[in-house]
Amino acid sequence: AAAAAAAAAPKDAEGELAAVDINACDTRVRALITKKHTLEEVTRVTGAFIRVCGRYKLPGQHGTPGDPAPSEKSLFLAVTPGSALASKTTEERREAVRNAVEMLRDKIDPGRTNGFGGGGGGGGGGSGLAE
């Protein structure tokens, strides 16, 4: 479920915007991934800016008559190039967004084997959710 919840899809033709769906993540994972410290760390390392968007929706609630906010999207992280990347090339901005998405995915699912940075593969070492 975490892999599906962490799926990122480019939202624009330039590939400089991405969304990481966190609505279906475990409560503990959602709480940790949306902490200011976590988002600032990803921004510091990658140069991309991450913003929490949408509203938490109970499973099966989105688009149903019981949905309290039908016009709002489910909870997700919006990833865009940070202001420090304004003078960089389009490819460098895309790479920063891709790196940020990978780093977020690693934090959501520390057992991933194709993660960001030199984490030495899977096993959760260094990129886990423990504080």
Side-chain angles (χ1 to χ4, degrees), residues 25-33 129-131:
C25 290
D26 178 72
T27 303
R28 180 174 166 260
V29 172
R30 240 186 356 262
L32 289 170
I33 200 74
L129 298 171
E131 295 185 309

Side-chain angles (χ1 to χ4, degrees), residues 7-8 16 24 31 36 42 44-45 50 57 61 64 66 69 86 100 103 122 125 130:
E16 292 185 18
K36 181 179 178 182
V42 175
R44 187 182 71 252
V45 171
I50 297 96
K57 308 258 184 170
Q61 183 182 48
T64 65
M103 194 171 178

Side-chain angles (χ1 to χ4, degrees), residues 6-21 47-51 53 73 76-83 85 89-102 104-105:
K11 294 289 187 184
D12 68 332
E14 295 294 317
E16 292 185 18
L17 303 176
V20 179
D21 181 11
F49 178 74
I50 297 96
R51 187 171 40 116
C53 301
K73 292 184 178 184
F76 69 98
L77 299 174
V79 184
T80 60
S83 59
L85 299 171
T89 66
T90 300
E91 188 52 40
E92 288 172 317
R93 291 190 304 268
R94 287 178 185 164
E95 185 67 22
V97 169
R98 282 192 297 266
N99 287 341
V101 168
E102 285 301 312
L104 290 167
R105 286 178 174 172

